[in-house]
Structure formats: structure tokens, C-alpha cells
Amino acid sequence: MAVVVVVLVGAVVAAVLLTSGGKKAGNAVGSGQAAPNFTLPNLQDGKGSISLASYKGTPVLVNFWATWCVPCKDEMPLLEAAHEKWGSKVQFVGIDRQDYKPDALAFAQRTHVTYPLAADPDATLDGAYRLRGMPTSVFIDRNGRIVQRVTGPLTRAQLDDGLKALTEAGG
């Protein structure tokens, strides 16, 4: 019984550490650096691959998520609403990582996500993007530089402030 309690407490602590934060990235974690390029398959079969380079000259919000990540699922409607508001000025890209594809597709349909969703089943971008927890949102300016990285679920204010900064940034 004591072992079960210790394991459960450890799991809760790990979950809090992995999903907490909501902090802006400082230079130590890549702010101001060029965003690593990627080309990933579209989550939906039959649609072309998704490449960061194809959005050159446009601000981009990249959101790493998975269906097994409860805060990710809770955050998705907020992101879709922001996409509806800001999508003409900022490209949104969701990257589903380490997930069971049928679950991810069903979830995307249920939440009516309209922005592009890429699949990264092997978490190939974790190192390049220095992912420390889920969800993680990376704000990339029109010059391809990381402006902000938020580990943990975004608040509406963080999302609006980040998108406003991206659209007002010169370049």
C-alpha cells in the first residue's frame, strides 16, 4: 500500500513539473534563435506534408500536443478560437506527438480544429525544440526566430499577448 502511495505521489509531482510553467523563454532556452525547420506528415492522410519553411515571411504559432495530455486537450478550443481571430495574420500549426493516430484524428474532428495538424509519432522534434513538457507553444516571428516558448497550457492573455507581439513585430 505504501509503495502505491509513493508511486502515485511521484506521478503527480512529475505531471505538475512537466505541465507547469507557462513561463516565457529566456535566451537560455532558445528565445531569439532561429526556429529549427521541420517537415512532418499531415495528421490527415492524403494531405501534403507540413513544413515550417513553407511559412517563411509569416509569423507562426507551433503547438505541441497529444490526446493523452489532459492540459493539451483542454487548451485546443482556446487555440482554435485564437486561430479564427488571428489566422489571417499568424499561421497556426499543431504537432501531435507520440500519439495513437486514430485517437488524434477523432479528437481533431471533435474539437473542429481547422489549422494544419502534423504528426510526430516518434517525437523527432523534442530535442530541436527543447521540449520539457506538454503542451508547449512556440511563437515564431516572420523572420523565423523564436520569440517566446510557453511550457504548459496557455492562458487566453498569454496567447493574445504572444499573437499581438508577433503581428506587431517588424521585420
Side-chain angles (χ1 to χ4, degrees), residues 28-30 33-38 40 64 95 97-98 120 122-134 136 138 146 149:
V29 290
Q33 295 180 350
N37 191 29
F38 60 81
L40 293 169
F64 293 89
I95 299 179
R97 57 182 290 283
Q98 293 183 315
D120 189 11
D122 300 320
T124 59
L125 295 179
D126 284 15
Y129 276 86
R130 300 179 187 170
L131 298 185
R132 299 289 182 255
M134 295 268 291
T136 294
V138 182
I146 295 174
R149 177 188 336 261

Side-chain angles (χ1 to χ4, degrees), residues 3-170:
V3 172
V4 172
V5 171
V6 170
V7 170
L8 286 175
V9 169
V12 168
V13 169
V16 168
L17 290 174
L18 286 173
T19 60
S20 67
K23 306 281 191 279
K24 287 187 178 183
N27 287 333
V29 290
S31 185
Q33 295 180 350
N37 191 29
F38 60 81
T39 300
L40 293 169
N42 197 303
L43 185 61
Q44 294 179 292
D45 291 330
K47 291 197 174 185
S49 60
I50 296 172
S51 172
L52 182 62
S54 68
Y55 303 120
K56 186 176 182 180
T58 302
V60 180
L61 171 60
V62 176
N63 176 260
F64 293 89
W65 66 280
T67 59
W68 46 262
C69 164
V70 174
C72 299
K73 293 188 338 184
D74 294 344
E75 180 182 67
M76 195 68 77
L78 178 68
L79 291 168
E80 178 57 28
H83 173 254
E84 290 174 15
K85 178 179 177 183
W86 295 90
S88 64
K89 297 178 181 179
V90 177
Q91 178 62 53
F92 285 61
V93 176
I95 299 179
D96 178 49
R97 57 182 290 283
Q98 293 183 315
D99 217 342
Y100 181 58
K101 188 174 179 176
D103 288 349
L105 284 169
F107 177 71
Q109 288 178 324
R110 264 194 325 275
T111 55
H112 307 289
V113 171
T114 59
Y115 52 88
L117 297 174
D120 189 11
D122 300 320
T124 59
L125 295 179
D126 284 15
Y129 276 86
R130 300 179 187 170
L131 298 185
R132 299 289 182 255
M134 295 268 291
T136 294
S137 297
V138 182
F139 295 79
I140 303 167
D141 71 14
R142 70 185 78 254
N143 298 313
R145 299 225 166 265
I146 295 174
V147 174
Q148 180 180 356
R149 177 188 336 261
V150 178
T151 300
L154 289 164
T155 65
R156 183 177 309 277
Q158 284 174 313
L159 184 55
D160 285 344
D161 289 349
L163 294 170
K164 186 176 181 187
L166 283 181
T167 59
E168 292 177 351

